Amino acid sequence: MVKLNCTREENPNIEYWNFEFYRKTYNRERKKNSIINSTMKKTVLTNCERNFINASIREKTRLDGRDLFETRSVNIYFGSNWGSCIVSLGKTRVVAQVSCDIQQPKASRPNEGMIYINVELNPLAAQHFESNRQSEAAILINRQLEKCIKDSKCLDLESLCIVADKKVWNLRLDINILNHDGNLIDCASIAALAALLHFHRPDVTSTGTNVIVHPFNEKDPLPLRLFFLPVCVSFITFESGITVMDPTYMEERVGVAQLTLGVNSYKELCSLHFDYLTKTLTVEDVISVASNHAAKYAIDLIEQIKDAVVKDISLRFSKDSTYNCHIKECIVPNKLTTMYSDNISIKLHNWNFTQQLKNETHENDNNEESNHIVKLAEGFAELITNEAEAIGDGGHNSWCPSSEEEMSDVEIVSINKPSNTVINKPANHLKYNMIYDI
């Protein structure tokens, strides 16, 4: 019989120590390879992109046109089942589902129910996530949600007790990430809170040792009881010391420190998580700067969640025949490659063209036209470059004249060679020659 976790003096068997050495070496190499593989799957962030984002943050400008403490829009959609919802925070999308079953309570808490939170990150959300494996990001999100929801005692677990020390309700909250565009913890906390508020458990009747679970057609389901409603609010601090709210995926990769506050509607702090993403000494007191913004945003966000839940529940109990699930409203009929882009996405959301374009020309030896910006619609713009440099870059096809005025500018010159005719157009129009064989 081999004794485990012993010293060499207690077990001098050389085969046991050789096995332990190879086992530890294998586990260490396997962990190292998994970290390397997950890192290689990530899109490489170049120094130009990093410097550009830092420079824009120093000028208090974000790539999507938001202010430093402005958040993205939140949309909540509910499914056909109780406790099923999809939440989108910008392009970040999370689905949450609450389910329940009857189990025996813990010995330390005989008259309280239980709640279990599970977070899954799959390759559907991002290419560097691995399926069937708990990554460090998933474990971190799971712990923060447990601190914000479970450890804060916002859910009345005693109301989940059926028979003390024998049978209680066990809640399971499953959260799946559908798309990752930054700030996963905030989107997951919104989905978790909306799913818990929307969930209704079956009514039960206890007759001695027997417990009867009534279906929904016999008795109306009962909602969960929550004392307060906490949500997570995240911030990112950059190397310049500037803090922004609701960071995107690019901002999370460039930032040096991350702060997540769990706040309820009473402006009370339920959880706190602070993490240094890189080694830096430029981070100042972030909590004092972010606490007021987090409290104000939490109040508005909780009101939005409550309004969405109350509206959906009232439509369900109204017995309206035209009511159907709202999850289909969040499905956009686009192609799979719609979100694909090789460049940084810059949105001029609040950009307004108030002045007319000035005739600023840069005179040089070639008398070339300077680049200018043309407004297409509200919040969008396009940079118009020199026409001579746009040939072959997917610009407008100007090989065939489109009007009689352009045809009048065409000059036909005869050449001594009888087999060819050269058509020349002035340099300020087409800037090339066309030769046709007769």
Side-chain angles (χ1 to χ4, degrees), residues 16-297:
Y16 168 76
W17 292 105
N18 290 337
F19 171 75
E20 285 293 311
F21 171 76
Y22 288 117
R23 183 180 64 84
K24 293 180 180 179
T25 305
Y26 172 76
N27 292 336
R28 184 169 60 251
E29 293 296 329
R30 183 179 179 182
K31 183 178 180 180
K32 185 190 300 183
N33 292 334
S34 64
I35 295 175
I36 293 174
N37 292 334
S38 61
T39 305
M40 292 178 63
K41 291 181 180 179
K42 289 185 178 180
T43 305
V44 178
L45 186 64
T46 62
N47 292 331
C48 295
E49 294 175 340
R50 187 182 300 273
N51 296 333
F52 179 77
I53 295 175
N54 285 325
S56 63
I57 291 297
R58 283 193 295 268
E59 296 178 0
K60 297 183 179 181
T61 303
R62 302 177 72 173
L63 299 185
D64 51 4
R66 291 182 291 156
D67 295 334
L68 298 181
F69 293 98
E70 183 181 355
T71 60
R72 293 171 289 183
S73 60
V74 178
N75 298 319
I76 304 174
Y77 308 95
F78 295 99
S80 58
N81 298 327
W82 289 109
S84 175
C85 70
I86 292 181
V87 175
S88 61
L89 179 62
K91 294 182 180 180
T92 302
R93 185 163 294 184
V94 173
V95 58
Q97 175 67 57
V98 180
S99 57
C100 65
D101 59 347
I102 299 176
Q103 293 186 4
Q104 186 175 359
K106 296 181 180 179
S108 58
R109 302 286 183 178
N111 59 342
E112 291 184 2
M114 297 175 291
I115 181 172
Y116 175 73
I117 301 176
N118 179 41
V119 178
E120 291 186 4
L121 303 177
N122 48 58
L124 179 65
Q127 60 183 357
H128 59 273
F129 292 149
E130 297 182 5
S131 59
N132 300 326
R133 181 178 178 273
Q134 280 289 96
S135 60
E136 295 182 0
I139 295 173
L140 181 60
I141 296 174
N142 203 334
R143 289 178 179 176
Q144 294 186 44
L145 290 179
E146 288 182 351
K147 290 180 181 179
C148 183
I149 297 175
K150 187 177 180 180
D151 297 343
S152 64
K153 306 295 182 181
C154 69
L155 182 63
D156 186 10
L157 297 179
E158 293 184 357
S159 63
L160 302 177
C161 179
I162 302 174
V163 179
D165 204 13
K166 290 184 179 180
K167 293 182 179 180
V168 296
W169 285 108
N170 177 42
L171 301 179
R172 179 184 175 90
L173 176 59
D174 292 302
I175 297 175
N176 289 274
I177 311 298
L178 300 182
N179 190 38
H180 179 24
D181 190 33
N183 205 1
L184 289 178
I185 179 61
D186 287 17
C187 192
S189 67
I190 297 171
L193 182 59
L196 290 175
L197 286 175
H198 187 263
F199 179 72
H200 284 59
R201 63 174 178 83
D203 195 3
V204 295
T205 301
S206 177
T207 58
T209 57
N210 297 328
V211 176
I212 301 175
V213 180
H214 300 281
F216 292 161
N217 55 4
E218 291 184 2
K219 287 188 177 182
D220 291 336
L222 302 177
L224 300 178
R225 184 183 300 174
L226 282 81
F227 298 116
F228 52 87
L229 308 178
V231 291
C232 293
V233 184
S234 298
F235 300 85
I236 282 289
T237 303
F238 293 87
E239 60 182 9
S240 59
I242 299 177
T243 302
V244 300
M245 191 176 182
D246 186 17
T248 60
Y249 179 63
M250 295 290 291
E251 292 174 347
E252 285 181 350
R253 298 184 65 180
V254 179
V256 296
Q258 183 177 10
L259 172 66
T260 302
L261 299 175
V263 188
N264 59 13
S265 57
Y266 303 105
K267 298 183 179 181
E268 297 174 347
L269 185 64
C270 302
S271 64
L272 187 146
H273 175 78
F274 186 79
D275 184 22
Y276 282 99
L277 304 179
T278 58
K279 295 181 180 180
T280 181
L281 298 176
T282 60
V283 177
E284 300 177 355
D285 188 8
V286 184
I287 299 178
S288 61
V289 177
S291 58
N292 293 331
H293 296 279
K296 294 178 182 178
Y297 175 65

